[in-house]
Amino acid sequence: MKTILLFSILLCVIVMPAIGALDDADLDKIRLIVKEEIKPLQADIDGLKTDVARLDGRLTGVEKQVTHATNVTYGLIALIVVAIGIPAWRGKRDRDQERKIETLTQEIETLKQQQIVRP
């Protein structure tokens, strides 16, 4: 019984490498299977490329819109500064002139009084 078991194991060890070897026909079959599996994957990759190109176009459009909105905002800020700054600057200039006029008016009144007192 032991000899039969040893003989069986020996045959299995010898036959295993022969069964596991691949010939050209087997490799060709494997190549065909791989090619068939890659075709749907390639279609998916092409679809993804198209989607990425579309998204890139959208992002470019959004970037242009953001740039335009930023430029409009800068323009509005400049208009607000001008609309508030010029009247404030003129108001300050008018107040300075009013002070000078008031000072000159007081001096004139003082001189008139002095002239009335010393005819």
Side-chain angles (χ1 to χ4, degrees), residues 79-90:
L79 285 175
I80 290 170
V81 167
V82 167
I84 292 173
I86 289 177
W89 179 69
R90 283 190 177 176

Side-chain angles (χ1 to χ4, degrees), residues 53-69:
R54 215 176 311 138
L55 285 175
D56 187 42
R58 285 183 184 175
L59 287 175
T60 303
V62 169
E63 183 180 345
K64 287 180 182 179
Q65 288 178 349
V66 168
T67 303
H68 178 71

